Amino acid sequence: MTPMQFRSTYFPQLADRVYLAACSLGARSVALDHAMAAMLDAMRHDEPAWPAFESEVRQVRVRLARLIGARVDQIALLPNASVAAYQVVSTLRWDEQPALIYSDQEFPSIA
């Protein structure tokens, strides 16, 4: 499959345009649309959908760990980069390292 075929098959909106939006407005894939539809369908049923969602999260963590050569317990899925940055920074010992260096190129809430 060529890159153009991949784009048009899995990201239909990229079939005939260059998409320059970024961050949370990235191009949606066909797989994401199917996953979202499945999630909404699961939420319509009487039984709690949360166990199925947790299973999906676990599978993603396993696959990501395998992909980057990490242990599953080293993979954390968080809602966005700002929350993830806070989680990391909140573990630092500020009495041992009283400063944090970042650039002005960071997303505002990261700083």
Side-chain angles (χ1 to χ4, degrees), residues 58-103:
R58 171 79 178 161
Q59 290 176 34
V60 169
R61 291 178 64 222
V62 166
R63 293 174 69 186
L64 286 172
R66 190 176 309 129
L67 178 68
I68 64 172
R71 295 187 322 264
V72 174
D73 66 335
Q74 294 173 311
I75 303 295
L77 300 180
L78 298 163
N80 56 55
S82 300
V83 170
Y86 172 77
Q87 293 296 320
V88 171
V89 170
S90 71
T91 68
L92 298 177
R93 295 281 315 260
W94 291 102
D95 56 331
E96 296 173 7
Q97 172 137 357
L100 178 66
I101 299 172
Y102 61 93
S103 85

Short mmCIF file of all heavy atoms in Angstrom, two decimals, residues 58-103:
data_model
loop_
_atom_site.label_atom_id
_atom_site.label_comp_id
_atom_site.label_asym_id
_atom_site.label_seq_id
_atom_site.Cartn_x
_atom_site.Cartn_y
_atom_site.Cartn_z
N ARG A 58 -6.46 -1.54 28.77
CA ARG A 58 -5.43 -2.54 29.08
C ARG A 58 -4.78 -3.05 27.79
O ARG A 58 -3.55 -3.15 27.71
CB ARG A 58 -6.04 -3.68 29.88
CG ARG A 58 -5.14 -4.87 30.08
CD ARG A 58 -4.15 -4.63 31.16
NE ARG A 58 -3.34 -5.84 31.33
CZ ARG A 58 -2.19 -5.86 31.91
NH1 ARG A 58 -1.68 -4.76 32.42
NH2 ARG A 58 -1.52 -6.96 32.03
N GLN A 59 -5.57 -3.35 26.78
CA GLN A 59 -5.02 -3.83 25.51
C GLN A 59 -4.12 -2.78 24.86
O GLN A 59 -3.07 -3.12 24.31
CB GLN A 59 -6.15 -4.22 24.56
CG GLN A 59 -6.89 -5.48 24.97
CD GLN A 59 -8.05 -5.77 24.04
OE1 GLN A 59 -8.00 -5.50 22.86
NE2 GLN A 59 -9.12 -6.32 24.59
N VAL A 60 -4.52 -1.53 24.93
CA VAL A 60 -3.69 -0.45 24.36
C VAL A 60 -2.37 -0.36 25.11
O VAL A 60 -1.30 -0.25 24.49
CB VAL A 60 -4.44 0.91 24.40
CG1 VAL A 60 -3.50 2.07 24.09
CG2 VAL A 60 -5.61 0.89 23.44
N ARG A 61 -2.42 -0.44 26.44
CA ARG A 61 -1.19 -0.38 27.22
C ARG A 61 -0.26 -1.53 26.88
O ARG A 61 0.95 -1.35 26.75
CB ARG A 61 -1.52 -0.36 28.71
CG ARG A 61 -2.19 0.94 29.15
CD ARG A 61 -2.57 0.95 30.61
NE ARG A 61 -1.39 0.87 31.44
CZ ARG A 61 -1.31 0.11 32.53
NH1 ARG A 61 -2.33 -0.62 32.92
NH2 ARG A 61 -0.21 0.10 33.24
N VAL A 62 -0.81 -2.73 26.72
CA VAL A 62 0.00 -3.90 26.36
C VAL A 62 0.65 -3.70 24.99
O VAL A 62 1.86 -3.93 24.81
CB VAL A 62 -0.86 -5.19 26.37
CG1 VAL A 62 -0.15 -6.35 25.69
CG2 VAL A 62 -1.25 -5.55 27.80
N ARG A 63 -0.12 -3.23 24.04
CA ARG A 63 0.42 -3.02 22.68
C ARG A 63 1.48 -1.92 22.65
O ARG A 63 2.50 -2.05 21.99
CB ARG A 63 -0.71 -2.72 21.72
CG ARG A 63 -1.63 -3.93 21.51
CD ARG A 63 -2.83 -3.62 20.68
NE ARG A 63 -2.42 -3.37 19.30
CZ ARG A 63 -3.25 -2.95 18.36
NH1 ARG A 63 -4.52 -2.75 18.66
NH2 ARG A 63 -2.83 -2.75 17.14
N LEU A 64 1.23 -0.82 23.39
CA LEU A 64 2.23 0.25 23.44
C LEU A 64 3.51 -0.21 24.12
O LEU A 64 4.62 0.11 23.67
CB LEU A 64 1.66 1.47 24.16
CG LEU A 64 0.64 2.30 23.39
CD1 LEU A 64 0.02 3.35 24.30
CD2 LEU A 64 1.29 2.95 22.18
N ALA A 65 3.37 -0.95 25.21
CA ALA A 65 4.56 -1.46 25.91
C ALA A 65 5.38 -2.34 24.98
O ALA A 65 6.61 -2.21 24.90
CB ALA A 65 4.14 -2.23 27.16
N ARG A 66 4.72 -3.22 24.27
CA ARG A 66 5.41 -4.10 23.32
C ARG A 66 6.10 -3.28 22.23
O ARG A 66 7.24 -3.55 21.86
CB ARG A 66 4.41 -5.08 22.71
CG ARG A 66 5.05 -6.18 21.90
CD ARG A 66 4.05 -7.20 21.37
NE ARG A 66 3.17 -7.70 22.41
CZ ARG A 66 1.84 -7.73 22.33
NH1 ARG A 66 1.22 -7.31 21.26
NH2 ARG A 66 1.13 -8.21 23.32
N LEU A 67 5.42 -2.26 21.74
CA LEU A 67 5.95 -1.43 20.66
C LEU A 67 7.24 -0.72 21.06
O LEU A 67 8.18 -0.64 20.28
CB LEU A 67 4.90 -0.40 20.22
CG LEU A 67 5.32 0.57 19.13
CD1 LEU A 67 5.51 -0.15 17.80
CD2 LEU A 67 4.29 1.68 18.99
N ILE A 68 7.29 -0.20 22.30
CA ILE A 68 8.46 0.58 22.70
C ILE A 68 9.41 -0.17 23.63
O ILE A 68 10.38 0.40 24.13
CB ILE A 68 8.06 1.93 23.34
CG1 ILE A 68 7.29 1.70 24.65
CG2 ILE A 68 7.24 2.77 22.37
CD1 ILE A 68 7.04 2.98 25.43
N GLY A 69 9.13 -1.44 23.88
CA GLY A 69 10.02 -2.24 24.71
C GLY A 69 9.93 -1.89 26.19
O GLY A 69 10.94 -1.92 26.90
N ALA A 70 8.74 -1.56 26.66
CA ALA A 70 8.53 -1.21 28.07
C ALA A 70 7.68 -2.27 28.73
O ALA A 70 7.14 -3.16 28.08
CB ALA A 70 7.84 0.15 28.17
N ARG A 71 7.58 -2.18 30.05
CA ARG A 71 6.65 -3.02 30.79
C ARG A 71 5.28 -2.34 30.78
O ARG A 71 5.20 -1.11 30.72
CB ARG A 71 7.12 -3.20 32.23
CG ARG A 71 8.42 -3.97 32.38
CD ARG A 71 8.74 -4.26 33.85
NE ARG A 71 8.39 -3.20 34.77
CZ ARG A 71 9.25 -2.27 35.20
NH1 ARG A 71 10.51 -2.27 34.80
NH2 ARG A 71 8.84 -1.33 36.05
N VAL A 72 4.23 -3.12 30.89
CA VAL A 72 2.88 -2.56 30.89
C VAL A 72 2.70 -1.56 32.03
O VAL A 72 2.06 -0.52 31.85
CB VAL A 72 1.82 -3.69 30.96
CG1 VAL A 72 0.43 -3.11 31.13
CG2 VAL A 72 1.90 -4.56 29.73
N ASP A 73 3.30 -1.85 33.19
CA ASP A 73 3.14 -0.93 34.32
C ASP A 73 3.90 0.38 34.13
O ASP A 73 3.77 1.29 34.95
CB ASP A 73 3.54 -1.61 35.63
CG ASP A 73 5.02 -1.95 35.71
OD1 ASP A 73 5.67 -2.11 34.66
OD2 ASP A 73 5.53 -2.06 36.84
N GLN A 74 4.65 0.50 33.06
CA GLN A 74 5.34 1.76 32.75
C GLN A 74 4.56 2.63 31.78
O GLN A 74 4.99 3.71 31.43
CB GLN A 74 6.73 1.46 32.16
CG GLN A 74 7.67 0.80 33.14
CD GLN A 74 8.97 0.38 32.49
OE1 GLN A 74 8.97 -0.25 31.44
NE2 GLN A 74 10.06 0.75 33.11
N ILE A 75 3.40 2.15 31.34
CA ILE A 75 2.58 2.87 30.37
C ILE A 75 1.38 3.49 31.08
O ILE A 75 0.62 2.80 31.75
CB ILE A 75 2.08 1.93 29.25
CG1 ILE A 75 3.24 1.23 28.54
CG2 ILE A 75 1.19 2.68 28.27
CD1 ILE A 75 4.17 2.16 27.79
N ALA A 76 1.23 4.78 30.93
CA ALA A 76 0.08 5.48 31.50
C ALA A 76 -0.65 6.19 30.37
O ALA A 76 -0.03 6.86 29.54
CB ALA A 76 0.53 6.50 32.54
N LEU A 77 -1.93 6.02 30.32
CA LEU A 77 -2.76 6.72 29.33
C LEU A 77 -3.49 7.84 30.06
O LEU A 77 -4.22 7.59 31.02
CB LEU A 77 -3.76 5.77 28.68
CG LEU A 77 -3.14 4.59 27.94
CD1 LEU A 77 -4.24 3.71 27.34
CD2 LEU A 77 -2.19 5.05 26.87
N LEU A 78 -3.27 9.04 29.60
CA LEU A 78 -3.86 10.22 30.23
C LEU A 78 -4.61 11.01 29.18
O LEU A 78 -4.36 10.86 27.98
CB LEU A 78 -2.76 11.05 30.90
CG LEU A 78 -2.04 10.29 32.02
CD1 LEU A 78 -0.74 10.95 32.38
CD2 LEU A 78 -2.95 10.19 33.23
N PRO A 79 -5.52 11.88 29.61
CA PRO A 79 -6.38 12.55 28.63
C PRO A 79 -5.69 13.56 27.73
O PRO A 79 -6.17 13.82 26.63
CB PRO A 79 -7.43 13.24 29.50
CG PRO A 79 -6.81 13.35 30.84
CD PRO A 79 -5.88 12.20 30.98
N ASN A 80 -4.57 14.13 28.18
CA ASN A 80 -3.90 15.13 27.35
C ASN A 80 -2.50 15.38 27.89
O ASN A 80 -2.14 14.92 28.98
CB ASN A 80 -4.71 16.42 27.26
CG ASN A 80 -5.00 17.00 28.63
OD1 ASN A 80 -4.10 17.24 29.42
ND2 ASN A 80 -6.29 17.21 28.92
N ALA A 81 -1.70 16.12 27.13
CA ALA A 81 -0.31 16.39 27.52
C ALA A 81 -0.22 17.23 28.78
O ALA A 81 0.71 17.05 29.58
CB ALA A 81 0.42 17.08 26.36
N SER A 82 -1.17 18.13 29.01
CA SER A 82 -1.13 18.97 30.20
C SER A 82 -1.28 18.13 31.47
O SER A 82 -0.52 18.31 32.43
CB SER A 82 -2.23 20.03 30.15
OG SER A 82 -2.06 20.86 29.03
N VAL A 83 -2.22 17.22 31.48
CA VAL A 83 -2.41 16.34 32.64
C VAL A 83 -1.19 15.44 32.80
O VAL A 83 -0.70 15.22 33.92
CB VAL A 83 -3.70 15.51 32.48
CG1 VAL A 83 -3.78 14.42 33.54
CG2 VAL A 83 -4.92 16.41 32.55
N ALA A 84 -0.67 14.91 31.70
CA ALA A 84 0.50 14.04 31.77
C ALA A 84 1.70 14.79 32.34
O ALA A 84 2.42 14.26 33.21
CB ALA A 84 0.83 13.49 30.38
N ALA A 85 1.92 16.01 31.89
CA ALA A 85 3.04 16.81 32.41
C ALA A 85 2.88 17.05 33.91
O ALA A 85 3.84 16.93 34.67
CB ALA A 85 3.14 18.13 31.66
N TYR A 86 1.66 17.36 34.34
CA TYR A 86 1.43 17.58 35.77
C TYR A 86 1.72 16.30 36.56
O TYR A 86 2.33 16.36 37.63
CB TYR A 86 -0.01 18.04 36.04
CG TYR A 86 -0.28 18.05 37.53
CD1 TYR A 86 0.21 19.10 38.31
CD2 TYR A 86 -0.95 17.01 38.14
CE1 TYR A 86 0.01 19.10 39.68
CE2 TYR A 86 -1.15 17.01 39.51
CZ TYR A 86 -0.67 18.05 40.28
OH TYR A 86 -0.85 18.04 41.61
N GLN A 87 1.30 15.17 36.06
CA GLN A 87 1.54 13.91 36.76
C GLN A 87 3.04 13.66 36.95
O GLN A 87 3.47 13.23 38.01
CB GLN A 87 0.90 12.74 36.01
CG GLN A 87 -0.60 12.76 35.98
CD GLN A 87 -1.21 12.62 37.35
OE1 GLN A 87 -0.74 11.85 38.17
NE2 GLN A 87 -2.25 13.38 37.62
N VAL A 88 3.82 13.96 35.92
CA VAL A 88 5.26 13.77 36.03
C VAL A 88 5.86 14.78 37.01
O VAL A 88 6.60 14.42 37.93
CB VAL A 88 5.94 13.91 34.65
CG1 VAL A 88 7.45 13.94 34.77
CG2 VAL A 88 5.50 12.76 33.74
N VAL A 89 5.52 16.04 36.85
CA VAL A 89 6.08 17.09 37.70
C VAL A 89 5.67 16.90 39.16
O VAL A 89 6.45 17.21 40.07
CB VAL A 89 5.66 18.48 37.16
CG1 VAL A 89 6.01 19.59 38.14
CG2 VAL A 89 6.32 18.73 35.82
N SER A 90 4.49 16.38 39.39
CA SER A 90 4.04 16.21 40.78
C SER A 90 4.85 15.17 41.53
O SER A 90 4.77 15.09 42.75
CB SER A 90 2.55 15.85 40.81
OG SER A 90 2.35 14.53 40.34
N THR A 91 5.64 14.38 40.84
CA THR A 91 6.47 13.36 41.50
C THR A 91 7.86 13.88 41.86
O THR A 91 8.61 13.18 42.53
CB THR A 91 6.63 12.12 40.61
OG1 THR A 91 7.42 12.46 39.46
CG2 THR A 91 5.29 11.56 40.19
N LEU A 92 8.20 15.08 41.41
CA LEU A 92 9.55 15.61 41.66
C LEU A 92 9.70 16.08 43.10
O LEU A 92 8.75 16.55 43.72
CB LEU A 92 9.85 16.77 40.70
CG LEU A 92 9.86 16.43 39.22
CD1 LEU A 92 10.09 17.69 38.40
CD2 LEU A 92 10.90 15.38 38.90
N ARG A 93 10.91 15.99 43.59
CA ARG A 93 11.25 16.50 44.92
C ARG A 93 11.72 17.93 44.74
O ARG A 93 12.85 18.19 44.36
CB ARG A 93 12.35 15.65 45.55
CG ARG A 93 11.98 14.22 45.86
CD ARG A 93 11.17 14.07 47.14
NE ARG A 93 11.71 14.85 48.23
CZ ARG A 93 12.47 14.36 49.21
NH1 ARG A 93 12.76 13.09 49.23
NH2 ARG A 93 12.92 15.16 50.16
N TRP A 94 10.85 18.89 45.02
CA TRP A 94 11.18 20.28 44.77
C TRP A 94 12.23 20.83 45.73
O TRP A 94 12.91 21.80 45.42
CB TRP A 94 9.91 21.13 44.79
CG TRP A 94 9.06 20.80 43.61
CD1 TRP A 94 7.95 20.01 43.60
CD2 TRP A 94 9.28 21.17 42.26
NE1 TRP A 94 7.47 19.88 42.32
CE2 TRP A 94 8.26 20.59 41.47
CE3 TRP A 94 10.24 21.95 41.61
CZ2 TRP A 94 8.17 20.76 40.10
CZ3 TRP A 94 10.14 22.12 40.24
CH2 TRP A 94 9.12 21.54 39.50
N ASP A 95 12.41 20.18 46.88
CA ASP A 95 13.49 20.61 47.77
C ASP A 95 14.85 20.22 47.21
O ASP A 95 15.86 20.85 47.50
CB ASP A 95 13.30 20.04 49.17
CG ASP A 95 13.19 18.52 49.20
OD1 ASP A 95 12.72 17.94 48.20
OD2 ASP A 95 13.58 17.92 50.21
N GLU A 96 14.88 19.19 46.35
CA GLU A 96 16.14 18.76 45.73
C GLU A 96 16.35 19.41 44.36
O GLU A 96 17.47 19.55 43.91
CB GLU A 96 16.14 17.24 45.56
CG GLU A 96 16.11 16.50 46.88
CD GLU A 96 15.94 15.01 46.69
OE1 GLU A 96 15.97 14.53 45.55
OE2 GLU A 96 15.78 14.31 47.72
N GLN A 97 15.29 19.78 43.71
CA GLN A 97 15.36 20.41 42.39
C GLN A 97 14.32 21.53 42.37
O GLN A 97 13.19 21.31 41.96
CB GLN A 97 15.06 19.38 41.29
CG GLN A 97 14.93 20.01 39.94
CD GLN A 97 15.65 19.21 38.89
OE1 GLN A 97 16.28 18.23 39.17
NE2 GLN A 97 15.55 19.65 37.67
N PRO A 98 14.70 22.73 42.78
CA PRO A 98 13.71 23.80 42.94
C PRO A 98 13.31 24.52 41.65
O PRO A 98 12.55 25.47 41.71
CB PRO A 98 14.43 24.76 43.89
CG PRO A 98 15.87 24.55 43.60
CD PRO A 98 16.02 23.10 43.26
N ALA A 99 13.79 24.07 40.50
CA ALA A 99 13.46 24.77 39.26
C ALA A 99 13.05 23.77 38.18
O ALA A 99 13.48 22.62 38.19
CB ALA A 99 14.64 25.59 38.77
N LEU A 100 12.23 24.24 37.29
CA LEU A 100 11.82 23.45 36.14
C LEU A 100 12.11 24.28 34.91
O LEU A 100 11.72 25.44 34.83
CB LEU A 100 10.32 23.14 36.23
CG LEU A 100 9.72 22.35 35.08
CD1 LEU A 100 10.30 20.94 35.05
CD2 LEU A 100 8.22 22.31 35.21
N ILE A 101 12.80 23.68 33.96
CA ILE A 101 13.16 24.41 32.74
C ILE A 101 12.25 23.96 31.61
O ILE A 101 12.06 22.76 31.40
CB ILE A 101 14.63 24.15 32.37
CG1 ILE A 101 15.54 24.64 33.48
CG2 ILE A 101 14.98 24.82 31.04
CD1 ILE A 101 16.98 24.26 33.32
N TYR A 102 11.68 24.91 30.93
CA TYR A 102 10.82 24.63 29.78
C TYR A 102 11.02 25.74 28.77
O TYR A 102 11.62 26.77 29.07
CB TYR A 102 9.35 24.48 30.20
CG TYR A 102 8.78 25.72 30.82
CD1 TYR A 102 8.11 26.67 30.05
CD2 TYR A 102 8.88 25.95 32.18
CE1 TYR A 102 7.59 27.81 30.62
CE2 TYR A 102 8.36 27.09 32.77
CZ TYR A 102 7.72 28.00 31.98
OH TYR A 102 7.20 29.14 32.53
N SER A 103 10.51 25.53 27.57
CA SER A 103 10.70 26.54 26.54
C SER A 103 9.41 27.31 26.30
O SER A 103 8.32 26.85 26.65
CB SER A 103 11.19 25.90 25.24
OG SER A 103 10.10 25.43 24.49
#
